[in-house]
Amino acid sequence: MIDASTSPVRIEFHDGVALVLIDNPPVNATSRAVRAGLLEAVHSARTNVAVKALVIACEGRTFVAGGDIREFGKPPLEPLLPDVCDAIETSAKPVVAALHGTALGGGFEIALACHARVMNNDARIGLPEVKLGLIPGAGGTQRLPRLAGMRAALDIIASGRQVKAAEAVSLGIADCVAEGDLRGEAIAVARSLVGAPLRRIGELATPDFDAKAIEAARGVIEKKARGQISPVKAGEIAMLAATLPLRQGLARERAMFVELMGGGQSRALRHAFFAEREASRVPGLENAAPRAFESIGVVGAGTMGAGVAIALADAGLRVTVVETGAAALEAGRARVRSAYERQTKSGRIDESQSAERQARMAFAEGLEALSSCDLVIEAVFEDMAVKQALFRRLGLIAKSSAVLATNTSYLDVNAIAAASGRARDVIGLHFFAPANIMRLLEIARGADSSADAVATGLALAKRLGKIPVVCGVCDGFIGNRILAAFRAQAEFALEDGALPHEVDAAMEAFGFPMGPFAVSDLSGLDIAWARRKRLEPSRDPQTRYASRVADRLCAMGRLGQKTGAGWYRYESGERIVDPVVTKLIEDVSAEFAIKRAPIDAETIQRNIRAAIVNEGAKILAERVASRALDIDMAMIHGFGYPPWRGGPMFEADEIGLPLVLKDVEAVALSCGRGWEPAPLLVDLARSNQTFGATV
Ligand code: T1G
């Protein structure tokens, strides 16, 4: 018997209809108590003659958003969700789900076990299990194909995407959208079902199963998954709904769910889920209150400035974009306009949304236009003198409560802050291009940045829907600094015996969306070249130099896709391995007396992973990052590190590297022991040997 006073499930009676209300903040996850309460409610309705029908609804912000992720990986406690769903579906009295917020995972599976579904206009349904390395485990893979057809079900299950109410109705997933009072309308639907034969989804046959189309769908899922297991398995199990009776399909689903739950990919994705949320809770800033912001200034309307302005306007903020001259301002305006045109053309937003967002933007010449802004973000040319001059003026023009942010990628935030004369108001806000799409936002905390200025950066990230990673000041912060170590290792591989397409293939097989050389061609080789030339005088001659081949490519004018050639040659958009580059690489190896030998994909991956993890360890030891999870988030959300691996530091932890570095103290300890040799580190030491004699 459930104790009604403590159960998160209670029942209200509405003239023959039992309204079963789940109240388990924050997202009504199906904890054991919720499962038990629901089961009890269905059982008690069975014997209560006064109850003719049931409605399941939720209190708070959302319908059930799924299983309780904090319980995952622990021994499951009865009653299990599939049994609860079974009791709902087989109930002789109609059960209707009243959906608001996000009915996800186990929550949507409860709804699929009901005999009808009523949705609020702004509600969404979805099966996000694949994003946690799982497949739906309470009937989702077997009921959704029976209800919506195989094609739609495969798309929803394998992508994990959320489906809006209108689409849910058009796919037959929801019976109707409530026009006003959701619970009242669901109760009315429940009453209308009393006495009629009930539609049990589990008893339906799966429509539109075309073997050829399904085979094609399987190929698409596999390609998109890029090494992630769960979408492929979810697709395979869902396909069984076409041929197996419900019971057998459910048994196969459950077995796969349990298997994946115990696997490394699910553990990694759970780590990523919680790390994404933990990233914004920065130790030491718990009590810092962000400054208020509504109106934001952006200095510079180049690619980055325009992208930042779009991200801000998209989030409902007022933006003033400033440029130095009329021509640059007009170019910026055109850049923004064409970005919105692309978005309306692709159907991402409609014309009225586009107009509304652009109406929030003002364009002005001269910094004076920013005097009333709450926050100013600088995105001008990457040059210290230019930035210092700008901050000197901003320090005088911006109102005293304004936060001043630099979007520098590499320059010293402290030197920029000092120029402003009000360093406590200055932080780094490092966006990644395209700034309106990429989720990572590095927030650099200068030596004198005040806690409330940093907290303002965190609040901005939340408003923009970005993942904030707070870091200290160093060359390249977290992301670009690790990227430099990654790139260097990739370039060593070329001199040692590999070719660009082999390195790219190895890293794509690892799970990156694109290999490092293809990315470099896409973004252009010139920026890194300029930086190398700038740093040349301070380069340590004892350390092996990585970019001899890159330097020569740049000198030849091969700057990447924009010049038709870089690490590859491009013909009508196609990437082609270029014998000229192969010869150049072989010449460099010979010139520096490096004996070339084939390098297999696994070795390439291992060396690059070692470089990433070691740089991450140094970043922790120097306190540039305060937690390993910040490094994982930077790599996943800024650089395409496969999320199903959990990030480089999580992986190092999983495979038991001794440098495993939950926090700075642990690193310091590990450093104190002199970095015990571990396979990855040993490998790195070998491939990172110095070439003092030949340089
Ligand atoms: N379990 C435990 N905690 C959860 C949770 C969950 N499922 N979902 C959210 N939280 C916590 C989250 O950590 C945060 O806590 C707070 O709720 C608010 O979340 C058999 C078993 C629902 C769209 O994958 O997608 O069902 O940080 O900041 O932006 O098939 O949370 O405040 O302490 O994200 O408004 C499991 C995951 C499928 C959905 C709300 N379900 N959640 O977004 O708030 S597996 C999911 C979300 C499954 C069955 C299996 C989002 C959201 P804290 P938030 P939000």
Side-chain angles (χ1 to χ4, degrees):
M1 205 45 203
I2 305 280
D3 176 357
S5 66
T6 58
S7 172
V9 180
R10 66 173 207 281
I11 304 177
E12 282 177 6
F13 294 96
H14 292 259
D15 200 10
V17 176
L19 176 63
V20 181
L21 284 165
I22 302 169
D23 186 7
N24 184 30
V27 295
N28 290 313
T30 58
S31 62
R32 199 196 77 84
V34 167
R35 299 193 299 269
L38 266 181
L39 194 61
E40 167 81 10
V42 176
H43 282 326
S44 67
R46 190 175 293 167
T47 49
N48 186 343
V49 287
V51 172
K52 306 287 180 225
L54 298 88
V55 167
I56 300 176
C58 287
E59 299 283 25
R61 64 206 261 196
T62 180
F63 193 79
V64 174
D68 189 335
I69 303 172
R70 287 171 210 279
E71 282 186 0
F72 289 7
K74 298 178 187 158
L77 295 172
E78 301 213 329
L80 302 180
L81 194 59
D83 299 329
V84 178
C85 291
D86 190 45
I88 294 171
E89 185 165 72
T90 55
S91 161
K93 298 177 182 178
V95 188
V96 174
L99 309 178
H100 78 290
T102 43
L104 301 178
F108 180 40
E109 290 174 302
I110 290 171
L112 285 170
C114 293
H115 307 114
R117 285 145 296 281
V118 182
M119 284 177 88
N120 248 356
N121 198 24
D122 56 358
R124 290 158 189 247
I125 55 95
L127 292 168
E129 284 85 346
V130 292
K131 297 184 176 175
L132 293 167
L134 302 170
I135 66 166
T141 65
Q142 302 306 299
R143 290 195 178 95
L144 189 57
R146 286 175 159 86
L147 182 63
M150 188 59 82
R151 214 177 294 212
L154 282 180
D155 163 43
I156 293 168
I157 293 169
S159 69
R161 75 182 173 93
Q162 292 183 9
V163 178
K164 292 181 184 166
E167 189 187 352
V169 169
S170 75
L171 289 171
I173 294 171
D175 295 77
C176 60
V177 173
E179 278 164 14
D181 168 26
L182 173 69
R183 289 181 192 171
E185 294 185 34
I187 288 171
V189 171
R191 282 204 186 103
S192 75
L193 297 180
V194 175
L198 291 178
R199 184 171 181 241
R200 296 189 174 89
I201 295 174
E203 292 172 355
L204 304 176
T206 299
D208 85 343
F209 185 76
D210 164 353
K212 243 195 188 147
I214 298 307
E215 206 42 52
R218 185 203 299 266
V220 173
I221 295 171
E222 250 171 56
K223 192 150 178 266
K224 274 202 192 145
R226 271 197 230 110
Q228 189 179 335
I229 302 167
S230 57
V232 179
K233 295 295 179 196
E236 278 172 13
I237 297 289
M239 285 179 211
L240 298 178
T243 48
L244 291 186
L246 181 73
R247 293 284 140 216
Q248 284 179 33
L250 289 178
R252 295 281 294 275
E253 176 193 76
R254 191 70 193 171
M256 182 56 70
F257 175 81
V258 170
E259 183 185 324
L260 292 175
M261 179 70 87
Q265 290 198 357
S266 177
R267 231 177 6 259
L269 284 161
R270 265 138 49 197
H271 159 73
F273 178 87
F274 287 116
E276 276 176 17
R277 285 153 184 81
E278 205 54 37
S280 56
R281 281 191 278 262
V282 179
L285 287 180
E286 296 86 354
N287 300 321
R291 301 185 198 174
F293 58 86
E294 260 323 302
S295 148
I296 303 195
V298 175
V299 186
T303 310
M304 188 49 95
V308 171
I310 291 169
L312 297 167
D314 287 357
L317 292 157
R318 274 185 295 119
V319 191
T320 304
V321 182
V322 162
E323 263 292 357
T324 41
L329 196 63
E330 191 41 48
R333 205 195 292 263
R335 207 167 271 128
V336 167
R337 207 183 304 123
S338 77
Y340 276 116
E341 272 165 20
R342 276 198 304 277
Q343 289 193 34
T344 45
K345 250 199 205 122
S346 71
R348 261 180 69 137
I349 54 172
D350 61 31
E351 294 286 349
S352 75
Q353 284 170 311
S354 165
E356 193 187 304
R357 291 172 190 197
Q358 290 186 66
R360 280 196 281 271
M361 289 191 191
F363 291 81
E365 248 179 85
L367 295 177
E368 284 71 18
L370 306 180
S371 61
S372 62
C373 287
D374 305 311
L375 165 66
V376 177
I377 302 171
E378 161 278 310
V380 303
F381 187 63
E382 189 79 338
D383 179 283
M384 181 57 91
V386 172
K387 299 215 186 218
Q388 284 186 318
L390 175 65
F391 272 75
R392 210 163 286 132
R393 292 194 54 213
L394 280 178
L396 300 172
I397 291 170
K399 64 182 184 187
S400 60
S401 59
V403 170
L404 309 178
T406 169
N407 180 52
T408 181
S409 306
Y410 291 101
L411 299 177
D412 181 354
V413 173
N414 291 324
I416 296 171
S420 74
R422 41 192 278 195
R424 59 183 313 281
D425 297 329
V426 177
I427 54 172
L429 283 180
H430 184 215
F431 288 83
F432 289 75
N436 54 319
I437 309 257
M438 296 292 287
R439 289 194 75 200
L440 177 63
L441 178 62
E442 281 182 329
I443 303 176
R445 187 175 192 170
D448 296 315
S449 305
S450 67
D452 58 308
V454 181
T456 309
L458 286 167
L460 179 73
K462 189 173 168 70
R463 180 79 183 258
L464 301 183
K466 297 203 183 290
I467 310 281
V469 166
V470 172
C471 57
V473 174
C474 71
D475 191 59
F477 307 114
I478 296 175
N480 280 334
R481 182 168 155 181
I482 292 186
L483 183 69
F486 175 149
R487 284 258 166 89
Q489 212 53 230
E491 292 181 30
F492 291 152
L494 299 185
E495 292 186 350
D496 291 346
L499 291 173
H501 67 278
E502 292 167 348
V503 176
D504 281 350
M507 297 323 288
E508 283 163 23
F510 184 75
F512 280 93
M514 247 182 164
F517 296 110
V519 170
S520 169
D521 272 357
L522 187 67
S523 49
L525 277 66
D526 42 340
I527 296 176
W529 190 34
R531 180 160 177 270
R532 287 199 297 278
K533 285 193 280 197
R534 183 158 44 83
L535 296 177
E536 173 74 31
S538 58
R539 188 151 62 76
D540 175 5
Q542 292 303 310
T543 307
R544 181 176 176 185
Y545 180 54
S547 302
R548 296 178 188 114
V549 177
D551 286 349
R552 290 180 198 194
L553 287 175
C554 291
M556 289 160 72
R558 300 181 63 120
L559 301 179
Q561 285 194 21
K562 61 185 168 190
T563 58
W567 295 100
Y568 298 88
R569 194 156 44 86
Y570 295 86
E571 274 170 27
S572 20
E574 208 190 324
R575 189 189 306 149
I576 298 165
V577 175
D578 192 341
V580 175
V581 178
T582 306
K583 168 92 171 46
L584 176 66
I585 293 169
E586 286 167 357
D587 287 351
V588 168
S589 303
E591 195 178 317
F592 289 89
I594 301 168
K595 203 170 158 320
R596 293 182 66 79
I599 312 178
D600 60 39
E602 203 183 314
T603 306
I604 292 170
Q605 292 169 354
R606 214 172 44 209
N607 285 344
I608 288 179
R609 292 166 85 178
I612 293 173
V613 171
N614 278 349
E615 199 60 39
K618 286 181 207 154
I619 284 170
L620 280 173
E622 291 168 22
R623 292 180 182 265
V624 168
S626 59
R627 301 164 298 182
L629 69 87
D630 292 317
I631 296 173
D632 288 339
M633 290 301 95
M635 293 316 291
I636 290 176
H637 293 291
F639 296 90
Y641 202 94
W644 52 267
R645 291 182 178 275
M649 307 315 273
F650 175 82
E651 268 198 307
D653 206 346
E654 286 275 286
I655 58 176
L657 276 187
L659 62 151
V660 180
L661 323 164
K662 282 281 185 238
D663 54 43
V664 180
E665 280 65 35
V667 182
L669 252 181
S670 184
C671 287
R673 290 206 309 270
W675 301 106
E676 307 234 354
L680 281 175
L681 291 174
V682 171
D683 279 350
L684 181 66
R686 202 183 321 126
S687 66
N688 212 7
Q689 60 199 274
T690 56
F691 279 63
T694 51
V695 172

